């Protein structure tokens, strides 16, 4: 009993990964891998065939540090450090909607032409196969769908288009107006049009192409802090990509210069407003003086009056200019507070009243405001990037406003001082005669306005000279050129990806089939599931076998691998219960169809060849086929004997083979399980033990009914049959559970119908060491080239290359 419990509780043997087996498993279905590889490669070619080619071209620009050749006469162009944030701001300007829209307008691409191929449609830019003249075209409301053109003859053509989702096809004459929806146009005849050619065309608005350009435009600094920008654009048309990129770079230079001249333009506009007012005042003062002289008959003022007049004129001229500066400072403050772009100091008298660092701060503020505008298209207001720029803007605003307030205070103190000076001059003028005093007053207004007018005119001229000398903040180093080598799709990458996916899919399919497989195929799988020993592996017979096993193949095909595998099981059986003179061998399986009757017949036959008296009993009283194997009627058998309806001698039948007798099952009784549990069954076994060396019992499937239990408990050897490719993993655990439940140590397993299938074989090798070496038996599965050894003649006759097989 202790030995039985010990055997039933033994651990499974050690199994080690066999990498050579893994390789054989993967190679066994090489055609799956080859098939998936072929499909993936075919897909890659189809993908490349149908996918439009994408082309790329690039150009280079250098951002200049110096922006004007005459920056020494204008404080507008004070250069600032161009750090990473400034470079990013210029990149944002390059990619802005305004610059790209103007570039598209410069490109002048109002009509797109296409040619339709068998697989895809290609754009013909810059070719214009048709001469189309617009008659009525609204850039907002126009016909946007594609129109198909096909020439009919030298005088007419056919247009196909969609109206309301329906196809419309009409013939038109050349030079005649064509109206499609809100759009009207004329197609002029062209002598070089092929009559079989079919062209597609569509009308464009500049806004329609902005998304196409922005989607493919990329820009970045080639080397950090180099101020050299590399621009790249991708498009399905290489010529369009080159032309539009050159247009973008050119338009950026125009936009950049316009942005930088805006400061000088604002100053000129400010001065013009002041000059317009002073011009009226000067003309009015001059006319008033003439009228006063005529009325009072005065020629001019005295020398003393001239001195006083000159002093008053100089002081009040300075006052007027300083007041203009105050107006300009207030204007700048309001712009800074409201955070308007392109803030500038509109007017500086050059008297040192304006802080020299203020212009640099204002220029820096303009840069931050522009940068924030562009980044706000990508980042939210609460993002860290925008918050950092807002913090910098706030610091510059506070500093600039403080400087402006200080400048305003300085100017106000100067004005107060000049007011005191003018009071003294006015006192001198007050003691003069009334007529002379009035004339001085008129002349003073005139000369002050005239002097301020002259001063502002000089400032305007300086601003105009400055504006004309402003250069763009960048230079085009290299123009974009058409590149006719596609960058996408990358053929090498697509093919490489297809190969990788083909191999992965093929191997993955192998792994998936193995993972989903619920059946046992080889002995290593059984050894991994149970500690019950395997007594042998019976090879699958290569030819078709009749359902009733009328051919005892172990006898009829003695030189086959199958017969040799049965003999190997026979040999191992001799070492089990060897001390007993007569052995009771019970054969069962989990379910029907696993070959237990087939194994019982062939094993009994081989045992009878070694001078062993063998009797084969059909112990399955429900669905036995033993009578069909030996071609006898099933009207009198074991069920009749157990029911006391016949004697033992009447049910023992003799086969055509020496030393082999058999007992058929007989008619199906209503109580087969109860009959097998009776004492009469035990008496039958005991009686047969006196006459036979081997009592082989073919029982019912133990996984379906319990009929085999009493026979299993009486037997000396219990053979559990597992069929390769038929029995599931669960069946391998049944022998050990039966052995544990009924305390049996005589249970062994036979793997039936084994045919080497590397796909489902285990990738482990079992190592028997220690106690395992005494518990397990030697056997072979006759795989790995045994058929070609020359020992199995019957199998050689069945090879496909044996012509005699086909000539029979």
């Amino acid at each position: 009993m202790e030995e039985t419990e010990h055997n039933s509780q033994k651990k499974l043997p050690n199994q080690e990964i066999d990498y050579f087996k893994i390789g054989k498993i993967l190679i066994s279905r090489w055609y799956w891998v080859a098939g998936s590889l072929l499909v993936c490669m075919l897909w890659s070619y189809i993908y490349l065939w149908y996918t439009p080619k994408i082309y790329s071209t690039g150009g280079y620009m250098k951002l200049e540090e110096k922006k004007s050749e005459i920056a020494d006469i204008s404080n507008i162009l004070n250069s600032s450090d161009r750090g990473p944030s400034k470079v990013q701001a210029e990149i944002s300007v390059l990619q802005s909607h305004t610059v790209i829209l103007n570039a598209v307008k410069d490109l002048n691409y109002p009509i797109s032409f296409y040619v339709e191929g068998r697989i895809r449609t290609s754009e013909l830019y810059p070719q214009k196969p048709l001469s189309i003249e617009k008659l009525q075209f609204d850039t907002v409301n126009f016909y946007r769908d594609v129109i198909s053109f096909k020439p009919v003859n030298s005088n007419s053509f056919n247009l196909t288009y969609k109206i309301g989702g329906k196809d419309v096809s009409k013939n038109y004459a050349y030079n005649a107006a064509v109206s499609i929806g809100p759009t009207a146009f004329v197609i002029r005849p062209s002598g070089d049009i092929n009559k079989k050619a079919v062209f597609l065309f569509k009308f464009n608005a500049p806004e329609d192409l902005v998304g196409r350009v922005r989607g493919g435009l990329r820009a970045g600094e080639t080397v950090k802090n180099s101020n050299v920008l590399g621009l790249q654009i991708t498009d399905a048309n290489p010529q369009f990509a080159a032309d539009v990129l050159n247009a973008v770079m050119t338009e950026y230079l125009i936009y950049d210069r316009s942005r930088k001249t805006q400061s000088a333009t604002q100053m000129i506009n400010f001065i013009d407003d002041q000059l317009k007012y002073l011009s009226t005042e000067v003309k009015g003062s001059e006319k008033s003086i003439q009228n006063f002289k005529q009325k009072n008959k005065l020629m001019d003022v005295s020398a003393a009056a001239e001195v006083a007049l000159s002093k008053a004129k100089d002081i009040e001229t300075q006052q007027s200019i300083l007041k203009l500066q105050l107006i300009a400072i207030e204007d700048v403050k309001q712009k800074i507070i409201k955070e308007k772009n392109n803030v500038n100091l509109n007017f500086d008298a050059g008297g040192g009243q304006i802080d020299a660092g203020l212009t640099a701060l204002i220029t820096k503020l303009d840069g931050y405001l522009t940068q924030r505008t562009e980044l706000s298209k990508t980042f939210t207001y609460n993002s860290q990037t925008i918050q950092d720029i807002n913090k910098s803007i706030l610091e510059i605003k506070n500093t600039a406003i403080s400087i402006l307030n200080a400048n305003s205070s300085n100017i106000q103190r100067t004005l107060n001082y000049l007011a005191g000076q003018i009071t003294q001059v006015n006192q001198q003028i007050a003691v003069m005669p009334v007529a002379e005093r009035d004339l001085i007053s008129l002349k003073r207004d005139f000369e002050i306005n005239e002097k301020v007018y002259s001063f502002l005119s000089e400032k305007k001229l300086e601003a105009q000279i400055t504006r004309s000398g402003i250069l763009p903040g960048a230079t085009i180093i290299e123009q974009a050129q058409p590149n006719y080598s596609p960058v996408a799709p990358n053929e090498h990458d697509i093919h490489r990806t297809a190969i990788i996916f083909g191999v992965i899919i093929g191997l993955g399919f192998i792994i998936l089939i193995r993972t989903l497989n619920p059946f046992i195929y080889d002995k290593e799988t059984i050894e991994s599931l149970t500690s019950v020993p395997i007594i042998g592996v019976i090879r699958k017979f290569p030819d078709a076998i009749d359902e009733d096993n009328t051919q005892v193949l172990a006898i009829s095909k003695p030189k086959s691998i199958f017969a040799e595998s049965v003999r190997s099981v026979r040999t191992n059986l001799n070492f089990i219960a060897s001390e007993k003179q007569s052995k009771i061998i019970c054969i069962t399986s989990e379910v029907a169809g696993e070959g237990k009757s087939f194994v019982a017949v062939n094993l009994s036959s081989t045992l009878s060849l070694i001078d062993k008296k063998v009797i084969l009993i059909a112990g399955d009283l429900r669905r036995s086929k033993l009578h069909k194997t030996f071609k006898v009627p099933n009207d009198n058998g074991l069920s009749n004997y157990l029911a006391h309806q016949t004697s033992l001698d009447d049910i023992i039948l003799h086969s055509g083979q020496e030393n082999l007798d058999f007992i058929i099952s007989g008619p199906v009784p209503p109580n087969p399980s109860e009959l097998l549990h009776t004492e009469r069954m035990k008496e039958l076994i005991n009686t047969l033990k006196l006459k036979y060396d081997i009592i082989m019992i073919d029982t019912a499937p133990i996984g379906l009914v319990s009929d085999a239990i009493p026979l299993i408990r009486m037997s000396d050897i219990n053979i559990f049959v597992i069929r390769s490719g038929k029995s599931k993993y669960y069946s391998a655990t049944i022998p050990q559970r039966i052995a544990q439940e009924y305390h049996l140590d005589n249970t062994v397993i036979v793997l039936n119908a084994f045919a080497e299938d590397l796909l489902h074989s285990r990738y482990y090798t079992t190592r028997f060491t220690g106690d395992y070496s005494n518990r397990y038996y030697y056997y072979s599965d006759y795989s790995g080239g045994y058929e070609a050894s020359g020992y199995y003649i019957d199998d050689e006759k069945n090879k496909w290359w044996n012509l005699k097989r086909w000539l029979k």
Side-chain angles (χ1 to χ4, degrees), residues 273-318:
D273 291 339
Q274 304 303 319
L275 289 176
K276 184 177 180 181
Y277 168 76
L278 289 175
S279 176
T280 303
E281 291 295 319
V282 169
K283 291 179 181 179
S285 299
E286 185 177 12
K287 187 174 182 180
S288 299
I289 291 173
Q290 291 175 355
N291 292 335
F292 183 83
K293 285 182 177 180
Q294 292 175 358
K295 182 179 180 180
N296 294 281
K297 298 180 180 181
L298 289 176
M299 295 300 294
D300 210 340
V301 295
S302 62
E306 283 290 346
V307 173
L309 177 62
S310 177
K311 289 183 179 180
K313 179 180 66 175
D314 291 339
I315 295 172
E316 289 185 348
T317 299
Q318 293 182 45

Coordinates of all heavy atoms in Angstrom, one line a residue, residues 273-318:
D273 N 0.4 114.3 -40.0 CA -0.7 114.9 -39.3 C -0.4 116.3 -38.7 O -1.2 117.2 -38.7 CB -1.2 113.9 -38.2 CG -1.8 112.7 -38.8 OD1 -2.2 112.7 -40.0 OD2 -1.9 111.6 -38.1
Q274 N 0.8 116.4 -38.1 CA 1.2 117.6 -37.5 C 1.5 118.7 -38.6 O 1.2 119.9 -38.4 CB 2.5 117.4 -36.6 CG 2.4 116.3 -35.6 CD 1.2 116.6 -34.6 OE1 1.0 117.8 -34.2 NE2 0.4 115.6 -34.3
L275 N 2.1 118.3 -39.7 CA 2.4 119.2 -40.7 C 1.1 119.8 -41.4 O 1.1 121.0 -41.8 CB 3.3 118.6 -41.8 CG 4.7 118.3 -41.4 CD1 5.4 117.5 -42.5 CD2 5.5 119.6 -41.1
K276 N 0.1 118.9 -41.5 CA -1.1 119.4 -42.0 C -1.7 120.5 -41.2 O -2.3 121.5 -41.7 CB -2.1 118.2 -42.1 CG -3.4 118.5 -42.8 CD -4.3 117.3 -42.9 CE -5.6 117.6 -43.6 NZ -6.4 116.4 -43.7
Y277 N -1.7 120.3 -39.9 CA -2.2 121.4 -39.0 C -1.3 122.6 -39.1 O -1.9 123.8 -39.2 CB -2.3 120.8 -37.6 CG -2.5 121.9 -36.5 CD1 -3.8 122.4 -36.3 CD2 -1.5 122.4 -35.7 CE1 -4.1 123.3 -35.4 CE2 -1.7 123.3 -34.8 CZ -3.0 123.8 -34.6 OH -3.3 124.8 -33.7
L278 N 0.0 122.5 -39.0 CA 0.9 123.6 -39.0 C 0.8 124.4 -40.3 O 1.0 125.6 -40.4 CB 2.3 123.2 -38.7 CG 2.6 122.7 -37.3 CD1 4.0 122.2 -37.2 CD2 2.4 123.9 -36.3
S279 N 0.6 123.7 -41.4 CA 0.5 124.4 -42.7 C -0.6 125.4 -42.7 O -0.5 126.5 -43.2 CB 0.4 123.3 -43.8 OG 0.2 124.0 -45.1
T280 N -1.7 125.0 -42.2 CA -2.9 125.9 -42.1 C -2.6 127.1 -41.2 O -2.9 128.3 -41.5 CB -4.1 125.2 -41.6 OG1 -4.3 124.0 -42.4 CG2 -5.3 126.0 -41.6
E281 N -1.9 126.8 -40.1 CA -1.6 127.9 -39.1 C -0.6 128.9 -39.7 O -0.7 130.1 -39.6 CB -1.0 127.2 -37.8 CG -2.0 126.5 -37.0 CD -3.1 127.3 -36.5 OE1 -2.8 128.5 -36.0 OE2 -4.3 126.9 -36.5
V282 N 0.4 128.4 -40.5 CA 1.4 129.2 -41.0 C 0.8 130.2 -42.1 O 1.1 131.4 -42.1 CB 2.6 128.4 -41.7 CG1 3.5 129.3 -42.5 CG2 3.4 127.7 -40.6
K283 N 0.0 129.6 -42.9 CA -0.7 130.4 -43.9 C -1.6 131.5 -43.3 O -1.7 132.6 -43.7 CB -1.5 129.5 -44.9 CG -0.7 128.6 -45.8 CD -1.5 127.7 -46.7 CE -0.6 126.8 -47.5 NZ -1.4 125.9 -48.4
G284 N -2.3 131.1 -42.3 CA -3.2 132.0 -41.6 C -2.4 133.2 -40.9 O -2.8 134.3 -41.0
S285 N -1.3 132.8 -40.3 CA -0.5 133.8 -39.6 C 0.1 134.8 -40.6 O 0.2 136.0 -40.3 CB 0.6 133.1 -38.8 OG 0.1 132.3 -37.8
E286 N 0.6 134.3 -41.7 CA 1.2 135.1 -42.7 C 0.2 136.1 -43.3 O 0.5 137.3 -43.4 CB 1.8 134.3 -43.8 CG 2.6 135.1 -44.9 CD 3.2 134.2 -45.9 OE1 2.8 133.0 -46.0 OE2 4.0 134.7 -46.7
K287 N -1.0 135.7 -43.5 CA -2.1 136.6 -44.0 C -2.5 137.6 -43.0 O -2.7 138.8 -43.3 CB -3.3 135.7 -44.4 CG -4.3 136.5 -45.1 CD -5.4 135.6 -45.6 CE -6.5 136.4 -46.4 NZ -7.6 135.6 -46.9
S288 N -2.5 137.2 -41.7 CA -2.9 138.2 -40.6 C -1.8 139.3 -40.5 O -2.2 140.4 -40.3 CB -3.0 137.4 -39.3 OG -4.0 136.4 -39.4
I289 N -0.5 139.0 -40.7 CA 0.5 140.0 -40.6 C 0.4 141.0 -41.7 O 0.5 142.2 -41.5 CB 1.9 139.3 -40.6 CG1 2.1 138.5 -39.4 CG2 3.0 140.3 -40.8 CD1 3.4 137.6 -39.4
Q290 N 0.1 140.5 -42.9 CA 0.0 141.4 -44.0 C -1.2 142.4 -43.8 O -1.2 143.6 -44.1 CB -0.2 140.6 -45.3 CG 1.0 139.8 -45.7 CD 0.8 139.0 -47.0 OE1 -0.4 138.9 -47.4 NE2 1.9 138.4 -47.5
N291 N -2.3 141.8 -43.4 CA -3.5 142.6 -43.1 C -3.2 143.7 -42.1 O -3.7 144.8 -42.1 CB -4.7 141.8 -42.8 CG -5.2 140.9 -43.9 OD1 -4.9 141.3 -45.1 ND2 -5.8 139.8 -43.6
F292 N -2.5 143.3 -41.0 CA -2.3 144.2 -39.9 C -1.4 145.3 -40.4 O -1.6 146.5 -40.0 CB -1.6 143.4 -38.7 CG -1.4 144.3 -37.5 CD1 -2.4 144.5 -36.6 CD2 -0.1 144.9 -37.3 CE1 -2.2 145.3 -35.5 CE2 0.1 145.7 -36.2 CZ -0.9 145.9 -35.3
K293 N -0.3 145.0 -41.1 CA 0.6 146.1 -41.6 C -0.2 147.1 -42.5 O 0.0 148.3 -42.5 CB 1.7 145.5 -42.4 CG 2.8 144.8 -41.5 CD 3.9 144.2 -42.4 CE 5.0 143.6 -41.5 NZ 6.1 143.1 -42.3
Q294 N -1.0 146.6 -43.4 CA -1.8 147.5 -44.3 C -2.7 148.3 -43.5 O -2.9 149.5 -43.8 CB -2.5 146.6 -45.3 CG -1.7 145.9 -46.3 CD -2.5 145.0 -47.3 OE1 -3.7 144.9 -47.1 NE2 -1.8 144.4 -48.2
K295 N -3.3 147.7 -42.5 CA -4.3 148.5 -41.7 C -3.6 149.6 -40.9 O -4.1 150.7 -40.8 CB -5.1 147.6 -40.8 CG -6.2 148.2 -40.0 CD -6.9 147.2 -39.2 CE -8.0 147.9 -38.3 NZ -8.8 146.9 -37.5
N296 N -2.5 149.3 -40.2 CA -1.8 150.2 -39.3 C -0.7 151.0 -40.0 O 0.0 151.8 -39.3 CB -1.3 149.5 -38.1 CG -2.4 148.9 -37.2 OD1 -3.1 149.7 -36.5 ND2 -2.7 147.6 -37.4
K297 N -0.5 150.7 -41.3 CA 0.5 151.4 -42.0 C 1.9 151.3 -41.4 O 2.6 152.3 -41.2 CB 0.2 152.8 -42.3 CG -1.1 153.0 -43.1 CD -1.5 154.4 -43.3 CE -2.8 154.6 -44.1 NZ -3.1 156.0 -44.4
L298 N 2.2 150.0 -41.0 CA 3.5 149.8 -40.3 C 4.4 149.0 -41.3 O 3.9 148.0 -42.0 CB 3.4 149.0 -39.0 CG 2.8 149.8 -37.8 CD1 2.6 148.9 -36.7 CD2 3.6 151.0 -37.5
M299 N 5.7 149.3 -41.4 CA 6.6 148.6 -42.3 C 7.2 147.4 -41.5 O 7.3 146.3 -42.1 CB 7.7 149.5 -42.8 CG 7.1 150.6 -43.7 SD 6.3 150.0 -45.2 CE 7.7 149.2 -46.0
D300 N 7.7 147.6 -40.3 CA 8.3 146.6 -39.5 C 8.4 147.0 -38.1 O 8.2 148.2 -37.7 CB 9.6 146.2 -40.1 CG 9.9 144.7 -39.8 OD1 9.3 144.1 -38.9 OD2 10.8 144.1 -40.6
V301 N 8.9 146.2 -37.2 CA 9.1 146.5 -35.8 C 10.5 147.0 -35.6 O 11.4 146.9 -36.5 CB 8.9 145.2 -34.9 CG1 7.5 144.8 -35.0 CG2 9.9 144.1 -35.3
S302 N 10.8 147.6 -34.4 CA 12.1 148.2 -34.1 C 13.1 147.1 -33.8 O 12.7 146.0 -33.7 CB 11.9 149.1 -32.9 OG 11.5 148.4 -31.8
A303 N 14.4 147.6 -33.6 CA 15.4 146.6 -33.4 C 15.2 145.9 -32.0 O 15.4 144.7 -31.9 CB 16.8 147.3 -33.4
A304 N 14.8 146.7 -31.0 CA 14.5 146.1 -29.7 C 13.4 145.1 -29.8 O 13.5 144.0 -29.1 CB 14.2 147.2 -28.7
A305 N 12.4 145.4 -30.6 CA 11.3 144.4 -30.7 C 11.8 143.2 -31.4 O 11.3 142.1 -31.1 CB 10.2 145.1 -31.5
E306 N 12.7 143.3 -32.4 CA 13.2 142.1 -33.1 C 14.0 141.2 -32.2 O 13.9 140.0 -32.3 CB 14.2 142.6 -34.2 CG 13.5 143.1 -35.4 CD 12.8 142.1 -36.2 OE1 13.1 140.9 -36.0 OE2 11.9 142.4 -37.1
V307 N 14.8 141.8 -31.2 CA 15.5 141.0 -30.3 C 14.5 140.2 -29.4 O 14.7 139.0 -29.2 CB 16.4 141.8 -29.4 CG1 17.1 141.0 -28.3 CG2 17.5 142.5 -30.3
A308 N 13.5 140.9 -28.9 CA 12.5 140.2 -28.1 C 11.8 139.1 -28.9 O 11.5 138.0 -28.4 CB 11.5 141.2 -27.5
L309 N 11.5 139.5 -30.1 CA 10.7 138.5 -31.0 C 11.6 137.3 -31.2 O 11.1 136.1 -31.2 CB 10.4 139.2 -32.3 CG 9.7 138.3 -33.3 CD1 8.4 137.8 -32.8 CD2 9.5 139.1 -34.6
S310 N 12.9 137.4 -31.4 CA 13.8 136.3 -31.7 C 13.8 135.4 -30.5 O 13.8 134.1 -30.6 CB 15.2 136.8 -32.1 OG 16.1 135.7 -32.2
K311 N 14.0 136.0 -29.3 CA 14.0 135.2 -28.0 C 12.7 134.4 -27.9 O 12.7 133.2 -27.6 CB 14.3 136.1 -26.8 CG 15.7 136.6 -26.8 CD 15.9 137.4 -25.5 CE 17.3 138.0 -25.4 NZ 17.5 138.8 -24.1
A312 N 11.6 135.1 -28.0 CA 10.3 134.5 -27.8 C 10.1 133.3 -28.8 O 9.6 132.2 -28.5 CB 9.2 135.5 -28.0
K313 N 10.5 133.6 -30.1 CA 10.4 132.5 -31.1 C 11.2 131.3 -30.8 O 10.7 130.2 -30.9 CB 10.9 133.1 -32.4 CG 10.8 132.2 -33.6 CD 11.3 132.8 -34.9 CE 12.8 133.1 -34.8 NZ 13.3 133.6 -36.0
D314 N 12.4 131.4 -30.3 CA 13.3 130.3 -30.0 C 12.6 129.5 -28.9 O 12.6 128.2 -28.9 CB 14.7 130.7 -29.6 CG 15.4 131.3 -30.8 OD1 15.0 130.9 -32.0 OD2 16.4 132.0 -30.6
I315 N 12.2 130.2 -27.8 CA 11.7 129.5 -26.6 C 10.4 128.8 -27.0 O 10.2 127.6 -26.6 CB 11.4 130.5 -25.5 CG1 12.8 131.1 -25.0 CG2 10.7 129.8 -24.3 CD1 12.7 132.2 -24.0
E316 N 9.5 129.4 -27.7 CA 8.2 128.8 -28.0 C 8.3 127.7 -29.0 O 7.6 126.7 -29.0 CB 7.2 129.9 -28.5 CG 6.8 130.8 -27.3 CD 5.7 131.8 -27.8 OE1 5.5 131.9 -29.0 OE2 5.1 132.5 -26.9
T317 N 9.3 127.8 -29.9 CA 9.6 126.7 -30.8 C 10.0 125.4 -30.0 O 9.5 124.3 -30.3 CB 10.7 127.0 -31.8 OG1 10.3 128.2 -32.6 CG2 11.0 125.9 -32.7
Q318 N 10.9 125.6 -29.0 CA 11.3 124.5 -28.2 C 10.1 123.9 -27.5 O 10.0 122.7 -27.3 CB 12.4 124.9 -27.2 CG 13.7 125.3 -27.9 CD 14.7 125.6 -26.8 OE1 14.9 124.9 -25.8 NE2 15.4 126.7 -27.1

